[in-house]
């Protein structure tokens, strides 16, 4: 559609620019705040431009941690978050690929029943099943462990469903050709299904990594061991640090750091993602 | 190489759909057999049962005297070429061909040698490192054939391999396939719904209809002596004309609804109520002579160059008739023509059972 209606043009652009502003302003504020000293954020005109404390702020949180928040170094929390997010992402992708593989390519009793069960759990967010899951973790003695942090979040109905939909688009003849070429089920999975799913895996990786990175409630419940603190938890603890005033400049610096890994993942995966899209084969 | 034997092979799909019913077929070592029939007659189902892609409901399937009903496709020593190529899209041509051999655990050097030989045979050498999507349809199908050849299977199976290609390419690849068979001396089972393809490729043709084998025979045998009306109609292009009626007085005339439709020189020596007389378009001569004669009402001509097809009906009724005459022949511009057919070119069928009646 090529239309030339200046008024509509101006209006749509105005709406879009407004949207961009609302999205970007908080990020901008976080960046700005992380470069000022402790008092700047508490004074009336909040600064809108960078200060000169940036280097010092970042050095402080990366080396010592924020004393008011248990003093866990931010670097350590970032690493914890990364491990948890990667664990959840890889776990989810592995489990959901296999689950979708089973549902699409094997005839077993109650196959559709299982599919619908998985599908229904799509509608149950973590928060709904958090108490029973916590109970299970307690009984298994998995509180304050990495596996307790990661394993319960690994099942993913969404990813299973998406992979199933993708597998269904792969022509039957390809499966049959592979059977004739003496590829057993797992070999078919590795040699054909997995390479063909590359683009989809990259896309889902982004979504799941961000999901994992942003987990808050579950780590909060399952750990009270500082060695397992994640950065999202850390930020929240800094904000609610008892009697003392929140140290906004440090909190914002931590937030900026916490935003980096998801951004990096998107940038890295996007390249693969776009390449995959351009190379679309079949 | 190997021979193949089907004994009352039956396939019933869920929902009680009988796709193939009690098929018996023996394919000799090195034979090129073509399964042909209209859409939905069960050709693919039969081929897929041979391949092991479809469970056999009942009957036995033997490859080289070994019952393989319950053997996995990869272990039946067969290779298959699909209509839509079914190449692995993420693998190069070379890896596509190598994949089966790798799974069999063949040594690298041998895989390489076989691929090079097949690539040369199929003129694919310069494309070995391309991905399937970088090839044309014809090249893709040659890669699929290459993937079959390198396996050196006992039986080659083809399911309409040329149907996705344009007419010119189809003719080209048909010739190539024929040459390939001569060279490999392999046992080929080939499915098509195109009777020209069947006629030009096959040592023997299997005509199928509604899940059943109608007739098995050499192409020329099917053409000159079809056992059923279905086969008569299916083999040959344009299709055979059929004139239905009962023998009139003296037994030398065929009557339909009180009107004479066909006259014979002398009684055809058959009693009985009704007949279907089959006449091939190319055997009908616009002349006064001939053993059987009919009057033809011409509607339009279709000039194809070498031949001219004359479309029309019987003068006596609405039965449609096509004549095929030499393109160089100049016919009078008349609407009505006398047409004659020689004795040996008459085919008689029972109108109820459709079976051939010998005279
Ligand atoms: N999976 C299936 N389930 C149920 N019925 C099936 C199935 N596959 C095929 N059929 C039926 O079996 C019959 C034979 O099918 P088949 O595919 O063998 O036909 P075909 O001769 O290969 O036809 P075409 O020339 O169109 O490929 C058809 O009536 C079809 O509807
Ligand atoms: Mg078919």
């Amino acid at each position: 559609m090529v239309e030339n209606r200046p008024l509509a043009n101006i209006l749509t652009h105005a709406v879009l620019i407004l949207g961009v502003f609302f999205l970007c302003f908080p990020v901008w504020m976080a960046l700005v705040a992380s470069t000022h000293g402790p008092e700047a954020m508490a004074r009336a005109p909040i600064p809108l431009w960078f200060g000169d404390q940036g280097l010092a702020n970042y050095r402080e949180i990366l080396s010592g941690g924020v004393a008011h928040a248990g003093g866990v170094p931010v670097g350590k929390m970032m690493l914890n978050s990364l491990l948890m997010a990667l664990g959840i992402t890889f776990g989810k992708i592995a489990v959901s690929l296999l689950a979708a593989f089973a549902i699409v390519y094997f005839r077993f009793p109650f196959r559709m029943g299982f599919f619908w069960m998985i599908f229904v759990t799509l509608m149950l967010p973590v928060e709904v099943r958090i108490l029973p899951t916590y109970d299970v973790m307690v009984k298994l003695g998995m509180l304050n462990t990495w596996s307790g942090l990661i394993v319960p979040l690994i099942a993913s109905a969404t990813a299973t469903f998406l992979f199933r939909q993708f597998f269904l688009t792969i022509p039957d003849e390809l499966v049959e050709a592979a059977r004739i070429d003496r590829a057993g089920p797992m070999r078919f999975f590795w040699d054909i299904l997995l390479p063909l799913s590359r683009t989809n895996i990259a896309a889902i990786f982004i979504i799941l990594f961000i999901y994992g990175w942003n987990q808050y409630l579950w780590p909060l419940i399952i750990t009270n061991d500082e060695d397992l603190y994640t950065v999202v938890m850390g930020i929240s603890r800094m904000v609610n640090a008892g009697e003392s005033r929140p140290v906004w400049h440090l909190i914002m610096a931590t937030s900026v750091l916490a935003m980096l890994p998801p951004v990096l993942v998107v940038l890295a995966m996007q390249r693969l993602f776009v390449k995959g899209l351009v190379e679309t084969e079949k | 190489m190997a021979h193949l034997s089907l004994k009352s092979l039956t396939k019933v799909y869920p929902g009680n759909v009988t796709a193939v019913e009690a098929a018996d077929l023996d394919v000799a070592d090195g034979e090129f057999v073509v399964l042909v029939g209209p859409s939905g007659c069960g050709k693919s189902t039969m081929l897929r049962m041979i391949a092991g892609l479809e469970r056999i409901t009942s009957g036995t399937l033997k490859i080289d005297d070994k019952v393989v009903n319950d053997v996995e496709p990869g272990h039946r020593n067969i290779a298959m070429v699909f209509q839509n190529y079914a190449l692995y899209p993420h693998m190069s041509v070379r890896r596509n061909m190598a994949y089966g051999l790798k799974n069999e655990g063949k040594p690298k050097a041998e895989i390489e040698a076989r691929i090079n030989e097949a690539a040369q045979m199929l003129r694919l050498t310069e494309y070995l490192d391309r991905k399937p999507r970088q090839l044309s349809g014809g090249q893709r199908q040659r890669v699929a054939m290459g993937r079959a050849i390198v396996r050196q299977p006992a039986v080659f199976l083809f399911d309409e391999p040329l149907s996705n290609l344009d007419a010119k390419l189809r003719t080209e690849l048909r010739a190539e396939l024929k040459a390939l068979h001569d060279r490999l001396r392999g046992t080929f089972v080939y499915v098509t719904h195109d009777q020209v393809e069947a006629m030009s490729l096959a040592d023997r043709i299997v005509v199928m209809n509604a899940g059943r084998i109608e007739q098995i025979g050499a192409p020329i045998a099917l053409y000159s002596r079809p056992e059923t009306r279905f086969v008569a109609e299916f083999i040959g292009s344009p299709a055979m004309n059929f004139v239905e009626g009962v023998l009139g007085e003296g037994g030398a005339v065929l009557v339909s609804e009180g009107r004479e439709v066909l006259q014979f020189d002398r009684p055809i020596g058959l009693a009985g109520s009704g007949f279907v007389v089959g006449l091939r378009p190319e055997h009908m001569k616009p002349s006064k002579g001939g053993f059987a004669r009919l009057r033809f009402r011409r509607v339009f001509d279709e000039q194809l160059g070498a031949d001219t097809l004359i479309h029309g009906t019987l003068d006596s009724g609405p039965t449609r008739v096509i004549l095929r005459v030499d393109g160089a022949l100049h016919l009078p511009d008349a609407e009505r023509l006398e047409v004659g057919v020689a004795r040996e070119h008459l085919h008689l069928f029972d109108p109820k059972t459709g079976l051939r009646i010998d005279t």
Side-chain angles (χ1 to χ4, degrees), chain B residues 7-288:
Chain B
K7 280 264 159 0
S8 92
L9 215 59
T10 300
K11 175 71 194 182
V12 182
Y13 281 113
N16 236 358
V17 181
T18 306
V20 174
E21 203 178 342
D24 290 310
L25 175 67
D26 278 292
V27 182
D29 187 14
E31 195 176 18
F32 198 139
V33 165
V34 175
L35 307 181
V36 69
S39 187
C41 69
K43 311 177 291 286
S44 294
T45 304
M46 192 134 126
L47 197 76
R48 293 165 54 80
M49 280 196 285
I50 298 173
L53 298 173
E54 212 68 75
R55 282 203 71 77
I56 294 168
T57 309
S58 66
T60 50
L61 171 69
K62 290 186 194 167
I63 297 177
D64 265 342
D65 297 320
K66 192 169 146 266
V67 177
V68 292
N69 281 35
D70 295 317
V71 178
E72 268 290 298
H75 295 268
R76 284 191 183 191
N77 202 7
I78 50 112
M80 184 155 165
V81 176
F82 297 84
Q83 177 174 349
N84 55 8
Y85 325 127
L87 298 174
Y88 310 120
H90 57 294
M91 297 186 191
S92 65
V93 169
R94 188 191 302 278
R95 284 187 60 210
N96 261 285
M97 292 205 224
Y99 190 57
L101 295 175
K102 231 165 49 194
N103 290 342
E104 284 174 25
K106 289 268 184 302
K108 268 210 165 65
E110 185 180 348
I111 296 179
E112 195 61 22
R114 286 200 200 178
I115 289 176
N116 288 338
E117 192 193 340
Q120 207 152 36
M121 212 186 293
L122 294 163
R123 292 180 284 117
L124 285 171
T125 310
E126 57 189 300
Y127 304 115
L128 278 178
D129 292 312
R130 289 210 198 166
K131 294 273 178 69
R133 83 191 116 81
Q134 298 164 317
L135 299 175
S136 73
Q139 289 163 344
R140 284 181 211 190
Q141 200 52 293
R142 289 213 301 271
V143 174
M145 287 180 199
R147 185 169 66 178
I149 292 170
V150 294
R151 303 271 316 275
Q152 302 181 347
V155 185
F156 289 85
L157 305 172
F158 297 85
D159 194 350
E160 309 206 20
L162 308 184
S163 296
N164 280 8
L165 307 175
D166 66 55
K168 185 166 168 287
L169 211 56
R170 201 149 48 203
T171 320
E172 251 174 63
L173 258 117
R174 203 163 68 200
E176 252 175 70
L177 250 167
K178 188 81 183 155
L180 201 67
H181 178 253
D182 288 342
R183 178 158 176 185
L184 297 171
R185 293 272 108 222
T187 308
F188 280 35
V189 181
Y190 185 104
V191 164
T192 177
H193 60 254
D194 179 351
Q195 53 102 10
V196 179
E197 222 167 277
M199 294 292 281
S200 67
L201 286 174
D203 292 328
R204 275 195 308 158
I205 294 179
V206 177
V207 181
M208 295 188 63
N209 178 24
R212 273 198 279 199
I213 294 182
E214 286 271 332
Q215 188 175 353
I216 304 177
I220 199 64
L222 294 191
Y223 176 80
S224 55
R225 254 191 74 85
E227 288 301 332
T228 65
R229 176 175 173 171
F230 178 84
V231 175
E233 193 166 4
F234 196 80
I235 301 288
S237 170
M240 189 184 269
N241 300 300
F242 295 98
V243 178
E244 220 173 318
V246 294
L247 278 185
E249 263 163 68
V253 61
L254 202 68
V255 182
S256 171
E257 291 169 4
R259 304 177 69 168
E260 289 188 5
V261 289
L262 207 57
Q263 286 151 3
F264 303 110
D265 255 1
R266 55 200 140 73
I268 54 172
L270 281 177
S273 43
F275 293 98
V276 176
V277 180
L279 309 158
R280 292 208 180 273
E282 53 273 35
H283 293 150
M284 303 177 76
K285 303 281 178 241
S287 66
K288 292 220 177 339

